[in-house]
Amino acid sequence: MKRIVWLGVGVAIGVIAYQKITEARSMASPGGVNRAIGQLADSISHFADQVREGMGEREAELRRGLGLDS
């Protein structure tokens, strides 16, 4: 029974290692690096858009609170 459990653990570790190696290999290729940089740029752009939107909402709240909206 113990051997079957350890065999299962070994197979699971092997599958995970194979997936990680395949992922690292695809990221090491020139297209993988470009894709990763593109995803990072998209994430940064999305974050900046959210910050700008939040700033606009907060500015509108402050203007209403101070009575500057005429």
Side-chain angles (χ1 to χ4, degrees):
M1 186 66 169
K2 284 184 180 181
R3 288 184 183 188
I4 293 174
V5 171
W6 285 113
L7 177 66
V9 170
V11 169
I13 290 172
V15 168
I16 292 170
Y18 177 76
Q19 288 175 343
K20 294 293 182 181
I21 289 170
T22 303
E23 181 181 322
R25 212 181 266 167
S26 70
M27 292 302 283
S29 69
V33 173
N34 289 341
R35 186 171 47 251
I37 291 172
Q39 289 173 348
L40 178 63
D42 289 344
S43 296
I44 291 170
S45 175
H46 180 68
F47 175 73
D49 290 341
Q50 287 180 331
V51 169
R52 281 189 213 102
E53 183 180 323
M55 287 172 44
E57 291 173 3
R58 181 65 179 145
E59 184 176 355
E61 288 174 9
L62 290 172
R63 286 185 170 276
R64 279 193 305 271
L66 294 173
L68 298 176
D69 263 350
S70 304

